[in-house]
Amino acid sequence: MENVIEADVAVVGGGLAGLFVAIGAAEQGARVVVMEKARIERSGAIGGGVDHCLAYLNEGEPWDTRDGYLAFVKKAAAGAVDIAVHEKIYCDELAAAIKRMERIGCPMHDPATGTYYRTRSFGAPGAYWINFDGKNLKPLEAQEARRLGCEVLDYVSATKLFIQNKRIAGVSGYNIRTGEFVAIRCPAVVVATGATNRLYETPTGMPFNTWLCPYDTGAAQALAFDAGAELANMEYVRMTIVPKGFSAPGLNAFTGEGATFINALGEPFMTKYHKLGDRAPRNVLVHACLTEGAEGRGPLFLDCTKLPADNLHQLKTTIGTDKDTLPDYFEQKGIDIAEEPFEVEVSEGMQTGPLEVVGSGVKINSQCMSTVEGLFAAGDCADQMKVVHLALTGGYAAGRAAAQYAKRSPGDVLAAAEVAAERSRVLAPLDRRSGVHYRDIEDVLRRIMKQYVGPMRTEIGLKTAARKIERLKGELSNLKAANPHELVRGLETETLVTVGEIMAKAAQARRESRFIPYHYRLDYPEQNDAEWNGQIVVQKSNESITTEFRPFS
Amino acid sequence: MADQLTDGPQIGDTCVGCVVCVDLCPGDVLRMEGDKAVVEYADECWWCGVCRVECPVEGCVQFKFPVAMMKG
């Protein structure tokens, strides 16, 4: 067999979480290989920079403690968060993670004063968000992973997880630049490929104009599912509020600094929906905007014009840290946020955790292991991790746990015939003379997801979606790719279709509403904690998708 | 769609051919054409700005947003 690399821990996805996985595993002495479809220095959701991280810091207030924070999480994320796992992978790791950021050269405090710039938003009881300069976090993290001796396979997109004797035997990948196919034999794989962001039709109709990284296409969720792992929290369709015309991050910064939503009557309206008003949880903000629009009070705007000078200054000077081109966009559109309210809209949907403190995807235990032995998950693709703070803490914890597991597991045989069959499967679209372009399949999928698996759902609509996706799947065997770049896009299409189908099935199973509008069943419009305080767990069984409700013990 | 083929990151004439933007673009949308970087898949751009952040030549990379984003 050619191109087989031996490792202790393979990390699939070299984004923010994946590289902390690699660092955590390498510090345990493991031989680590990172598989990343771009270049680890600037890849993933925050390759272009990030500006906020959630943390309690014990600076005096009751909310600013471990207990205060956990009380908030328990209440806010009921039905989705496994609090014992959360304590282990976040609370137990937080202090070390903050120090690690400083050590790799990206401190979250102001180096001159030692203080943290903190803001409050999204339903939090206090200022949990640290605003920091993470413009170069990714290259600094990559430098540390390389310094520790991690082998990095840049430009390699993972295609399959191999199982032998019910445990992980390895993983294969395809090089987007050279067209080479590679396999890694290893006892432990940590998947860390993020959320599924290119799955729903966008407001502009441009599929790559998404709030979060459009190259995150649910690879971990789909590959782990195919390998037999359980997934959870997959029913939630997350949305946010973005500047009209540009799906860009920034809502946290705007509301954290005190911006106000106003409707077409010029009236602030968020206090009608939540006592925290513009600082309500994100799902409430989205629900309010959808409702105002549906009731004819759109267009909607964010008003920063009444902000104190300091807050306005902070906003104007840091808004490009998170999204580098947002200042260009405002400038070219003639928007000055200090002068007049700017129009906003609800973004496209995506598969990712319903709140900032809980994820969606591969179901993990407190060791970050999935239900498949040797398969771990970290970052946005894990059901108990989410965004920056859990990538920093849980990512590192997953790497450490995977390395410790690898030390006591011999691994298993990577069957040459299976690898060869996978290689043929992956390369087939390059040889087809006629067939379907990836984009044609994706565009149909995105419309189905928006129409039937969006913020308003019914059993009939969800069943309709599942049937349509089932039929659409047949087209995947006709995928045609002109070159390695298009072939990787086609691999992404495959995982998008898998994730879409799983979401439609998971959403059917939850016969109540929760985190409205992220799971808003018009046929079961109320939240029902007595019966539904737990997760919908999804698994592959006899080539079909099974769902099961599982309460938290 | 037509505008998207020409809009997106704009690599200027001052490009020195260092290949950094081509190597680091997370979407693999850039290519070298001779000794200059060009945008091959403009409609797959996420507007993350990495090409500009990493470009060694001040002002070489600029962004032009398509009509769909600017006028809607």
Side-chain angles (χ1 to χ4, degrees):
Chain A
M1 214 182 333
E2 335 164 47
N3 283 338
V4 176
I5 297 165
E6 298 279 334
D8 298 320
V9 177
V11 184
V12 175
L16 182 67
L19 291 188
F20 276 120
V21 170
I23 289 167
E27 285 185 2
Q28 295 292 310
R31 289 172 304 164
V32 179
V33 179
V34 180
M35 196 181 264
E36 161 59 51
K37 69 181 162 189
R39 262 275 297 267
I40 61 166
E41 275 71 16
R42 283 294 182 189
S43 62
I46 65 115
V50 72
D51 69 357
H52 57 278
C53 176
L54 186 152
Y56 58 89
L57 295 173
N58 299 299
E59 289 186 334
E61 300 281 333
W63 59 264
D64 204 15
T65 61
R66 181 180 178 122
D67 287 348
Y69 169 78
L70 283 171
F72 157 65
V73 172
K74 211 170 179 172
K75 186 158 177 274
V81 69
D82 185 329
I83 210 78
V85 172
H86 197 85
E87 272 201 83
K88 190 98 177 125
I89 66 174
Y90 177 68
C91 300
D92 290 358
E93 302 286 335
L94 179 59
I98 291 173
K99 284 203 187 95
R100 191 173 304 116
M101 286 285 281
E102 189 175 356
R103 188 169 57 76
I104 68 171
C106 190
M108 293 195 284
H109 58 265
D110 180 341
T113 62
T115 58
Y116 294 88
Y117 188 97
R118 307 180 73 187
T119 62
R120 179 180 179 189
S121 67
F122 296 154
Y128 282 139
W129 294 102
I130 301 170
N131 198 271
F132 72 104
D133 182 1
K135 197 74 197 165
N136 290 315
L137 171 52
K138 205 59 211 311
L140 289 164
E141 197 192 10
Q143 181 179 298
E144 177 66 0
R146 292 193 197 271
R147 185 186 74 79
L148 288 166
C150 298
E151 182 178 349
V152 179
L153 306 180
D154 284 316
Y155 309 123
V156 176
S157 185
T159 72
K160 184 181 169 71
L161 296 166
F162 294 89
I163 304 293
Q164 201 66 249
N165 298 316
K166 295 186 176 174
R167 61 186 174 198
I168 280 289
V171 57
S172 60
Y174 175 77
N175 190 308
I176 193 168
R177 292 287 177 85
T178 65
E180 276 176 299
F181 186 82
V182 297
I184 303 172
R185 194 186 83 87
C186 53
V189 172
V190 188
V191 286
T193 63
T196 314
N197 301 326
R198 208 166 79 223
L199 186 54
Y200 282 78
E201 203 168 61
T202 66
T204 54
M206 296 166 59
F208 289 76
N209 175 15
T210 48
W211 171 31
L212 299 176
C213 181
Y215 319 117
D216 287 5
T217 52
Q221 295 84 325
L223 268 50
F225 173 77
D226 279 333
E230 290 180 350
L231 309 184
N233 294 349
M234 291 293 286
E235 60 272 40
Y236 302 111
V237 51
R238 189 163 160 95
M239 294 158 284
T240 190
I241 297 154
V242 295
K244 178 89 175 165
F246 191 10
S247 275
L251 183 62
N252 191 6
F254 287 117
T255 57
E257 295 293 347
T260 306
F261 282 94
I262 53 175
N263 61 21
L265 303 172
E267 295 165 346
F269 57 88
M270 281 300 173
T271 49
K272 274 195 299 186
Y273 298 89
H274 198 280
K275 63 179 190 299
L276 290 173
D278 300 295
R279 286 186 160 93
R282 192 193 305 261
N283 62 303
V284 175
L285 301 180
V286 173
H287 185 58
C289 286
L290 288 172
T291 307
E292 290 292 301
E295 293 178 357
R297 289 186 295 279
L300 307 172
F301 300 85
L302 257 177
D303 186 359
C304 300
T305 61
K306 296 176 188 69
L307 293 185
D310 285 353
N311 299 81
L312 203 53
H313 175 76
Q314 177 75 12
L315 257 184
K316 283 193 143 185
T317 51
T318 63
I319 196 72
T321 308
D322 214 68
K323 188 72 179 182
D324 196 73
T325 57
L326 186 53
D328 301 72
Y329 182 74
F330 280 151
E331 194 188 331
Q332 288 179 35
K333 229 179 169 181
I335 293 169
D336 182 347
I337 60 169
E339 292 299 319
E340 58 176 345
F342 62 96
E343 192 180 348
V344 293
E345 66 187 335
V346 174
S347 76
E348 71 287 344
M350 68 204 75
Q351 175 269 317
T352 189
L355 280 184
E356 283 68 25
V357 291
V358 64
S360 161
V362 183
K363 187 168 168 57
I364 55 168
N365 64 18
S366 60
Q367 293 298 304
C368 307
M369 202 196 280
S370 75
T371 52
V372 169
E373 195 183 328
L375 177 61
F376 299 74
D380 279 350
C381 68
D383 79 318
Q384 297 299 320
M385 294 197 206
K386 183 87 187 141
V387 293
V388 174
H389 56 291
L390 276 147
L392 265 49
T393 53
Y396 185 87
R400 185 181 55 212
Q404 288 168 354
Y405 168 83
K407 270 183 204 162
R408 57 177 195 270
S409 170
D412 222 308
V413 179
L414 186 58
E418 272 188 60
V419 174
E422 173 63 4
R423 182 178 185 279
S424 301
R425 184 193 75 84
V426 166
L427 299 183
L430 289 171
D431 294 330
R432 288 196 186 101
R433 294 189 174 202
S434 64
V436 193
H437 192 256
Y438 85 89
R439 194 54 195 271
D440 294 333
I441 299 177
E442 280 191 20
D443 284 345
V444 174
L445 176 68
R446 279 188 281 269
R447 271 199 296 279
I448 295 170
M449 295 304 288
K450 184 182 178 182
Q451 286 176 8
Y452 309 103
V453 199
M456 288 192 281
R457 311 157 155 195
T458 60
E459 180 162 333
I460 290 171
L462 292 165
K463 280 184 172 165
T464 306
R467 263 201 312 275
K468 285 175 189 250
I469 296 170
E470 174 71 34
R471 285 204 296 268
L472 184 63
K473 260 199 299 194
E475 293 297 328
L476 292 173
S477 55
N478 295 323
L479 263 177
K480 181 185 178 320
N483 53 46
H485 174 92
E486 282 189 13
L487 185 63
V488 169
R489 288 285 175 264
L491 291 169
E492 293 172 348
T493 307
E494 289 178 357
T495 60
L496 289 170
V497 170
T498 301
V499 171
E501 190 177 22
I502 290 170
M503 285 181 79
K505 289 280 172 69
Q508 279 176 53
R510 185 177 283 283
R511 293 188 298 280
E512 61 138 15
S513 291
R514 193 166 287 262
F515 304 111
I516 294 171
Y518 297 163
H519 178 69
Y520 187 21
R521 285 283 299 260
L522 296 185
D523 40 2
Y524 301 96
E526 304 296 328
Q527 180 166 329
N528 178 352
D529 285 322
E531 288 179 54
W532 293 99
N533 194 349
Q535 291 181 311
I536 301 297
V537 178
V538 182
Q539 197 179 12
K540 188 174 181 175
S541 170
N542 297 323
E543 295 306 308
S544 69
I545 299 170
T546 60
T547 56
E548 177 197 332
F549 172 72
R550 209 174 295 162
F552 290 115
S553 49
Chain B
M1 285 287 289
D3 59 289
Q4 289 173 30
L5 297 176
T6 49
D7 294 336
Q10 310 281 303
I11 316 288
D13 293 340
T14 51
C15 173
V16 293
C18 70
V19 199
V20 163
C21 61
V22 176
D23 281 352
L24 291 177
C25 170
D28 190 42
V29 310
L30 301 156
R31 287 288 180 272
M32 292 304 290
E33 201 173 276
D35 57 358
K36 303 277 186 197
V38 296
V39 182
E40 178 92 359
Y41 299 97
D43 59 336
E44 296 176 10
C45 174
W46 182 38
W47 314 96
C48 70
V50 162
C51 48
R52 178 172 62 186
V53 169
E54 294 288 349
C55 179
V57 183
E58 179 78 26
C60 179
V61 180
Q62 294 182 339
F63 290 91
K64 184 161 175 266
F65 297 97
V67 172
M69 294 172 71
M70 292 299 291
K71 307 290 181 184

